[in-house]
């Protein structure tokens, strides 16, 4: 994939509400601030949970993040999609995202078949930089 550098104005972090996601968000807050970029925390609802439950989870994670993050250009999005990497890619394209990030310890990446699909279909198909965050010190 050919890529020409451009300023980072929009960053998206795909979360699965894991504990190590908070460390990633703290890191991304600093990165976003350095570029004066908008940071979006994105969760893909795959239909396994009821919409009300998904919205409640998003509200709780939003409140938890707002306790540790002071950056003003942060927003939270919930999108629906049966296949997470496809929903993330659609979001990236529709919103002109410049940098995407995902926690590599998320459940979605621990499953061998899904991990292979993400590696093949997301990492190689996204035409923007993709930052993997392990949460390890």
């Amino acid at each position: 994939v050919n890529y020409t550098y451009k300023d980072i104005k929009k960053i998206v972090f795909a979360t699965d509400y894991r504990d190590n996601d908070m460390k990633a968000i703290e890191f991304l807050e600093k990165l976003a601030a350095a570029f004066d970029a908008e940071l979006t925390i994105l969760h893909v609802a795959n239909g396994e949970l009821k919409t009300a439950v998904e919205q409640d989870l998003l509200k709780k994670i939003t409140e938890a993040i707002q306790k540790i993050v002071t950056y003003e250009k942060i927003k939270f999005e919930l999108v629906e999609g049966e296949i997470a990497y496809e929903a993330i890619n659609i979001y990236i394209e529709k919103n002109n995202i410049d940098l995407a990030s995902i926690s590599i310890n998320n459940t979605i990446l621990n499953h061998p078949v899904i991990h292979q699909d993400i590696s093949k279909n997301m990492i190689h198909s996204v035409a923007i930089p993709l930052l993997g965050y392990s949460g390890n010190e």
Side-chain angles (χ1 to χ4, degrees), residues 93-113:
E93 289 177 20
K94 283 185 176 180
N95 292 279
N96 298 314
I97 301 298
D98 302 305
L99 175 69
S101 182
I102 190 165
S103 175
I104 61 172
N105 289 336
N106 281 351
T107 302
I108 195 167
L109 292 177
N110 288 336
H111 189 284
V113 173

Side-chain angles (χ1 to χ4, degrees), residues 61-121:
I61 194 75
T62 300
E63 290 169 355
I65 291 168
Q66 289 174 334
K67 288 179 183 176
I68 62 168
V69 171
T70 59
Y71 191 59
E72 291 182 13
K73 292 185 174 182
I74 187 168
K75 66 180 186 174
F76 304 85
E77 297 274 346
L78 178 66
V79 297
E80 293 183 8
E82 195 171 306
I83 301 173
Y85 71 83
E86 288 179 357
I88 295 166
N89 279 338
I90 290 168
Y91 185 88
I92 287 169
E93 289 177 20
K94 283 185 176 180
N95 292 279
N96 298 314
I97 301 298
D98 302 305
L99 175 69
S101 182
I102 190 165
S103 175
I104 61 172
N105 289 336
N106 281 351
T107 302
I108 195 167
L109 292 177
N110 288 336
H111 189 284
V113 173
I114 293 174
H115 177 64
Q116 183 180 15
D117 285 347
I118 285 183
S119 296
K120 185 177 179 182
N121 295 308

Side-chain angles (χ1 to χ4, degrees), residues 30-49:
K30 292 176 182 131
L31 183 66
F35 286 97
D36 192 31
E38 178 182 275
L39 174 60
T40 301
I41 310 303
L42 177 71
H43 178 71
V44 178
N46 63 6
E48 289 182 15
L49 300 175

